Amino acid sequence: MSESNLAARSDGLEGQVSGARVIAQALKTQDVNYMFGIVGIPVTEIALAAQEMGIRYIGMRNEQAACYAASAVGYLTGRPGVCLVVSGPGLVHSLGGMANANMNCWPLIVIGGSSERSQETMGAFQEFPQVEACRLYSKFSARPSSIEAIPSIIEKAVRSSIYGRPGACYVDIPADFVSLQVNVSSVKYVECCMPPPISMAETSAVRMAASVIRNAKQPLVIIGKGAAYAHAEESIRKLVEQCKLPFLPTPMGKGVIRDNHPNCVAAARSRALQFADVIVLLGARLNWILHFGLPPRYQPDVKFIQVDICAEELGNNVRPAVTLLGDVNAVTKQLLEQFDKTPWQYPPESEWWKVLREKMKSNEALSKELASKKSLPMNYYTVFYHVQEQLPRDCFVVSEGANTMDIGRTVLQNYLPRHRLDAGTFGTMGVGLGFAIAAAIVAKDRNPGQRVICVEGDSAFGFSGMEVETICRYNLPIVLLVVNNNGIYQGFDKDSWKEMLKFGDATTVAPPMCLLPHSHYEHVMTAFGGKGYFVQTPEELQKSLRQSLADTTNPSLINIMIEPQGTRKAQDFHWLTRSNL
């Protein structure tokens, strides 16, 4: 018996199928395997139908977190995850996740219930111009004109989400479509869309790029998350090792080549950017994360070689020496062919390598000095060095927060591609738990036993902390570390907080960045059956992390108290480049 007939029988009407069933079958036909959301009127039946079709449904506690999770699945698997939301406010709550996916260039499908067609403009329950609203946050936004049109709309949404520069797509489902029955024979499912076509750069441009690299006095390769998404790790590693080039990963480019590779110059990031004369951008954009490619972070005459899948990205903020339009993996292989024909290596004994290694050595020594301080409360570096000692090499590291994310990135190592998830291009706070849930669900299917370490600032944790219940409900192998400084950027200790309140109400005397001191976030985890730890010393941190990693049956949260006024080591530049124009 065909799937369509099976669907019709379970709907209770021979030869009939509901809109909910058609949606679920269309998604399954397009090889969509994960759905995150919050059910309610009018989408509950869609979630039930999806489960019956074999699509994993993960019920979340907030639509934003559900959307973050679905987008992370798209990044990790290459096929979009689905975020299923109710009409009006539910859809509005998901817009943050859609915007984040679009800015990160991650594939995502949002399916939103909407008001019944017969009630449009009448003030229907949760009526909202959803298709129009989503056009600002997505690559594609549409409402099927009929049940029969759903498969083709969903195929186009999936295809649009993964072709070219990946991104978010929206499909609007009127409430009356969900339960509406149509003849099985009238629904034609569209064959699964092909994987994205692989494009290659022009041969003449590749030859020119190879020539510019050969003539570089101080070259640098920058590896972005676009390279990770393109699965370009093998070709990039070969290029770096064959040509003896220094490389610098962007935050989510970490792990494309392991962080402890001898050619990684992340510990001398500012020096590498400031003095390189030729920079090869592999799937990285010259946005705020890379300081726009402009002085004083860079030399005024630096030559950029841009490799990107998106033509519109080429030439943003700078005039590149060479542009290579195409798939990062394919283009890197083209570059390798040039160096195979005429072998070339950048001399490892050069003055440039000497400068970089000296700076790396001094920065690493300073970080270790900060980490070795015995005073309490602990500082960021002490925490992260103790965490790094115990992290499994194959774990996912999810991180968000201001200093928590930025300092953690410099200490916590990644050895595998697509194993670091953070606030990303949009700088979005609140993504952490959604990303961690997505990573854990994917790991459960692909590599059972693989751990997810989610490192949160205490402020960042507050954005989506109730997703701890989701983690416990699905018993996901996640270890949450809340690095708690009692505030946003900085806070006060307990005594200082009490002293301050003597001078007035908190609304008038407490600085806006302060949070309640010594909040016991670990109790949120224990409330739902997970393990919680409150730690104040390196010894307590080591013990609790060891126990958490050894416990494969319970998620855990470690609430780590640190110096409220703690910050990062002195920087050569402000981390967020100020405009000098």
Side-chain angles (χ1 to χ4, degrees):
M1 184 178 290
S2 70
E3 285 181 320
S4 296
N5 286 334
L6 279 171
R9 283 190 62 183
S10 45
D11 280 338
L13 294 170
E14 192 67 41
Q16 298 278 297
V17 63
S18 69
R21 286 278 173 164
V22 172
I23 294 164
Q25 180 61 66
L27 290 170
K28 193 63 179 176
T29 301
Q30 297 305 319
D31 196 25
V32 172
N33 297 301
Y34 300 95
M35 179 181 284
F36 301 81
I38 298 177
V39 295
I41 298 170
V43 301
T44 303
E45 290 78 9
I46 298 174
L48 291 168
Q51 284 184 312
E52 291 181 17
M53 289 290 176
I55 296 172
R56 286 187 179 275
Y57 176 80
I58 299 91
M60 306 285 282
R61 299 303 299 265
N62 181 279
E63 289 92 353
Q64 272 194 11
C67 213
Y68 296 144
S71 67
V73 159
Y75 173 65
L76 295 172
T77 68
R79 301 298 292 187
V82 171
C83 177
L84 180 69
V85 297
V86 299
S87 51
L91 184 278
V92 171
H93 292 167
S94 73
L95 293 179
M98 292 178 70
N100 191 67
N102 245 21
M103 295 297 288
N104 271 347
C105 309
W106 289 355
L108 165 71
I109 305 295
V110 174
I111 294 178
S114 61
S115 307
E116 292 190 17
R117 292 171 297 164
S118 63
Q119 298 174 357
E120 284 184 355
T121 75
M122 296 175 65
F125 176 66
Q126 296 183 334
E127 185 175 0
F128 187 71
Q130 298 183 182
V131 176
E132 293 84 353
C134 290
R135 286 199 176 107
L136 291 173
Y137 302 88
S138 62
K139 293 180 68 179
F140 172 77
S141 179
R143 170 191 277 195
S145 58
S146 64
I147 300 290
E148 290 82 359
I150 286 173
S152 62
I153 292 290
I154 285 180
E155 187 275 340
K156 184 167 184 178
V158 171
R159 178 162 40 88
S160 298
S161 77
I162 62 176
Y163 276 34
R165 172 176 277 180
C169 293
Y170 176 67
V171 179
D172 193 70
I173 304 295
D176 49 310
F177 274 17
V178 175
S179 57
L180 184 65
Q181 303 277 333
V182 297
N183 289 329
V184 170
S185 60
S186 69
V187 181
K188 307 298 181 188
Y189 293 97
V190 182
E191 188 177 350
C192 184
C193 65
M194 299 290 289
I198 303 298
S199 55
M200 300 172 71
E202 293 180 1
T203 304
S204 60
V206 176
R207 282 198 296 264
M208 186 184 299
S211 175
V212 172
I213 294 170
R214 291 177 197 276
N215 290 306
K217 300 287 192 296
Q218 296 176 173
L220 178 67
V221 174
I222 297 180
I223 303 171
K225 71 173 176 291
Y229 183 79
H231 289 248
E233 50 267 21
E234 284 304 311
S235 57
I236 292 176
R237 182 184 56 78
K238 286 179 184 176
L239 178 67
V240 163
E241 292 180 349
Q242 186 170 319
C243 296
K244 309 294 184 187
L245 295 168
F247 76 89
L248 175 69
T250 64
M252 278 189 272
K254 284 165 61 72
V256 171
I257 305 178
R258 57 188 170 86
D259 281 344
N260 63 348
H261 191 283
N263 290 39
C264 180
V265 295
R269 183 183 191 273
S270 293
R271 187 64 52 89
L273 294 178
Q274 190 179 11
F275 294 105
D277 67 343
V278 171
I279 294 178
V280 184
L281 289 166
L282 298 175
R285 288 172 279 177
L286 290 174
N287 54 23
W288 67 275
I289 292 176
L290 289 176
H291 319 290
F292 315 110
L294 300 174
R297 282 283 196 170
Y298 296 82
Q299 292 295 300
D301 58 351
V302 61
K303 294 179 179 178
F304 285 102
I305 298 171
Q306 280 187 283
V307 181
D308 205 284
I309 193 73
C310 178
E312 290 81 359
E313 189 63 40
L314 302 174
N316 268 356
N317 300 324
V318 302
R319 187 175 181 84
V322 189
T323 58
L324 300 175
L325 176 63
D327 175 81
V328 176
N329 191 31
V331 173
T332 305
K333 289 177 179 176
Q334 287 180 281
L335 281 170
L336 276 167
E337 288 175 5
Q338 294 296 316
F339 292 113
D340 286 338
K341 288 177 186 174
T342 309
W344 172 86
Q345 289 183 347
Y346 183 71
E349 69 282 357
S350 68
E351 184 64 22
W352 179 229
W353 264 119
K354 182 181 177 183
V355 166
L356 291 174
R357 288 187 178 118
E358 286 178 353
K359 187 61 175 175
M360 290 165 63
K361 187 175 180 181
S362 65
N363 281 346
E364 287 167 351
L366 180 55
S367 293
K368 287 178 181 176
E369 180 185 347
L370 289 168
S372 65
K373 289 189 175 179
K374 304 295 185 184
S375 58
L376 295 176
M378 294 180 284
N379 63 43
Y380 285 102
Y381 293 89
T382 303
V383 169
F384 290 132
Y385 271 96
H386 285 297
V387 171
Q388 173 59 32
E389 286 179 349
Q390 294 193 48
L391 284 190
R393 289 176 72 94
D394 68 342
C395 72
F396 286 94
V397 176
V398 180
S399 186
E400 64 171 332
N403 290 330
T404 298
M405 181 175 66
D406 295 330
I407 298 172
R409 182 180 67 246
T410 67
V411 181
L412 303 179
Q413 301 283 289
N414 284 94
Y415 306 97
L416 297 171
R418 298 168 297 282
H419 276 61
R420 177 183 165 87
L421 300 165
D422 67 21
T425 308
F426 213 26
T428 310
M429 291 297 108
V431 297
L433 273 69
F435 283 2
I437 289 166
I441 291 291
V442 171
K444 214 169 188 180
D445 287 345
R446 295 186 171 187
N447 188 12
Q450 189 175 22
R451 304 310 297 269
V452 176
I453 313 299
C454 185
V455 186
E456 301 272 301
D458 51 329
S459 170
F461 177 75
F463 280 83
S464 53
M466 192 52 68
E467 298 302 336
V468 165
E469 187 273 335
T470 308
I471 291 170
C472 290
R473 188 177 355 127
Y474 294 104
N475 198 31
L476 300 175
I478 296 171
V479 178
L480 284 167
L481 307 179
V482 178
V483 183
N484 189 350
N485 68 346
N486 302 332
I488 304 169
Y489 302 113
Q490 294 179 331
F492 285 136
D493 60 34
K494 232 183 208 179
D495 293 337
S496 299
W497 177 264
K498 287 180 180 177
E499 188 67 26
M500 179 181 62
L501 292 183
K502 292 178 181 178
F503 297 95
D505 183 84
T507 59
T508 59
V509 300
M513 68 284 294
C514 289
L515 300 174
L516 189 67
H518 274 225
S519 294
H520 283 270
Y521 298 109
E522 75 280 2
H523 291 337
V524 180
M525 179 64 84
T526 58
F528 299 113
K531 296 291 182 68
Y533 303 88
F534 182 80
V535 306
Q536 300 182 84
T537 68
E539 294 74 23
E540 290 172 346
L541 172 59
Q542 290 171 328
K543 181 180 179 181
S544 61
L545 185 55
R546 188 163 51 247
Q547 291 175 346
S548 297
L549 290 171
D551 186 350
T552 58
T553 59
N554 294 288
S556 58
L557 188 154
I558 305 174
N559 186 14
I560 307 165
M561 302 307 302
I562 67 165
E563 166 56 47
Q565 300 294 312
T567 184
R568 69 184 71 196
K569 64 181 177 62
Q571 304 291 300
D572 293 336
F573 289 90
H574 190 276
W575 72 276
L576 187 59
T577 301
R578 306 299 189 195
S579 174
N580 294 315
L581 301 178

